[in-house]
Amino acid sequence: MAFELIYGKSPSGLVYPFNLALISILLVAVITDLMARTVPNWLIFLGLMSALTISAAMNGFMGLGFMALGFAAGILFFLPIYLTGLLGAGDVKLIGIVGAFLGLHQMLVSAVLIFLVGGLISLFMLGRHRSSRHLPQVPYAVAIAAGVFAHLIIFN
């Protein structure tokens, strides 16, 4: 189970590097978000280049289209939340990277799980900081990673 979660398998039994690359990027994003409350652009660039390279190598031009649709869906789906100031630009770009790896349909499923996990984390943090006048910052990379991990576990 752990091997299949990390590597993923195609119907023909070939091992896909998608999950390994995505999980690695998400783990680094979680660490940097917890430590510095930011998702660095170098990580976004690395994720985009990884998704681009893997998609092109495995599926040619169709893979590039798959990647582009997923990336656009991730960005566009979470852009309104960024515009309200509730989500950082790095978080939105990270969600775009998730979409680039997962593609359009799986990105939409992951988005629902990311919203659910993010809402639970927000409620927990509000409960812990009830006496504070300032709303706590939610390290949303944690919610993104947890939502994607849940998606990979449930649907892989």
Side-chain angles (χ1 to χ4, degrees):
M1 171 73 174
F3 178 82
E4 290 177 359
L5 171 65
I6 293 173
Y7 291 102
K9 285 194 172 187
S10 72
S12 64
L14 295 174
V15 175
Y16 282 155
F18 284 111
N19 289 3
L20 178 62
L22 179 57
I23 289 169
S24 299
I25 288 163
L26 289 173
L27 288 176
V28 173
V30 166
I31 291 167
T32 59
D33 201 15
L34 287 172
M35 292 176 65
R37 292 291 195 253
T38 186
V39 178
N41 283 331
W42 63 262
L43 183 62
I44 299 301
F45 180 75
L46 178 67
L48 191 57
M49 290 300 105
S50 298
L52 179 77
T53 303
I54 295 168
S55 293
M58 297 191 76
N59 300 309
F61 286 113
M62 292 291 288
L64 294 177
F66 171 85
M67 186 218 69
L69 279 174
F71 181 77
I75 297 282
L76 292 174
F77 200 65
F78 283 82
L79 187 62
I81 301 166
Y82 165 72
L83 293 174
T84 63
L86 296 174
L87 204 58
D91 297 322
V92 175
K93 291 182 278 187
L94 182 62
I95 292 167
I97 298 303
V98 168
F101 276 99
L102 297 180
L104 176 63
H105 299 324
Q106 290 187 41
M107 175 60 229
L108 296 176
V109 173
S110 279
V112 171
L113 294 170
I114 291 167
F115 277 134
L116 290 172
V117 172
L120 291 173
I121 291 172
S122 297
L123 287 173
F124 173 75
M125 290 184 74
L126 282 173
R128 284 190 59 209
H129 295 93
R130 196 177 318 190
S131 61
S132 174
R133 291 180 177 233
H134 302 287
L135 291 175
Q137 271 189 322
V138 176
Y140 214 75
V142 175
I144 296 166
V148 171
F149 292 163
H151 176 253
L152 293 175
I153 290 168
I154 294 168
F155 297 104
N156 198 6

